[in-house]
Amino acid sequence: MSADCIFCKIVAGYIPSKTIFQDDEVIAFHDIRPLAKVHFLIVPKAHIETLKDCTAEHQALLGKMMLLAAQLAAEQGLTGYKTVMNVGREGGQEVFHIHLHVFGGGPAA
Ligand code: 5GP
Ligand code: ZN
């Protein structure tokens, strides 16, 4: 856990979130500022700052995040959706704890 990381605080339960899934490795919750009718984030529980920090040891975790995107999107009633991982400041990343965005259902109301 990183003391200044907002997603580590969500993982630890210090900050509430609208959680839709969790197990020992990942948590998924609705984005606080949704950009689509359905917009959730899939977040590893371990603090990894960016995709650039991932190595072969993270391969299974990254694959799990993608498969979970498909599973949770279906559970949220989406038949089509977009997945995005922003990487680094120039890639639009604001929270430096890796996360996969899942967007669907059209623009946020
Ligand atoms: P990034 O730009 O780093 O890819 O996306 C970070 C996302 O985290 C943003 O869409 C932002 O709305 C979301 N976010 C930031 N703080 C919180 C929070 O405290 N709770 C939740 N649920 N989402 C957050
Ligand atoms: Zn973190």
Side-chain angles (χ1 to χ4, degrees):
M1 169 162 181
S2 165
D4 321 322
C5 172
I6 196 143
F7 286 177
C8 281
K9 288 181 183 158
I10 288 176
V11 167
Y14 300 150
I15 294 178
S17 70
K18 288 192 198 165
T19 302
I20 57 175
F21 176 87
Q22 66 176 314
D23 66 10
D24 54 335
E25 288 183 310
V26 296
I27 184 168
F29 49 83
H30 290 286
D31 197 290
I32 205 166
R33 291 189 299 272
L35 299 176
K37 286 206 176 69
V38 177
H39 179 185
F40 61 87
L41 305 171
I42 299 175
V43 180
K45 289 193 167 177
H47 181 80
I48 306 163
E49 291 201 354
T50 80
L51 185 62
K52 296 183 283 185
D53 301 305
C54 290
T55 63
E57 79 176 90
H58 300 106
Q59 185 167 314
L61 176 65
L62 293 167
K64 177 173 177 168
M65 289 166 69
M66 290 305 294
L67 288 177
L68 200 53
Q71 179 193 319
L72 297 179
E75 287 174 14
Q76 295 291 312
L78 300 175
T79 50
Y81 47 88
K82 192 173 290 194
T83 64
V84 170
M85 185 179 285
N86 295 325
V87 183
R89 250 274 177 246
E90 285 140 36
Q93 187 174 1
E94 290 179 1
V95 176
F96 281 75
H97 177 139
I98 62 169
H99 50 280
L100 185 64
H101 293 258
V102 180
F103 305 100

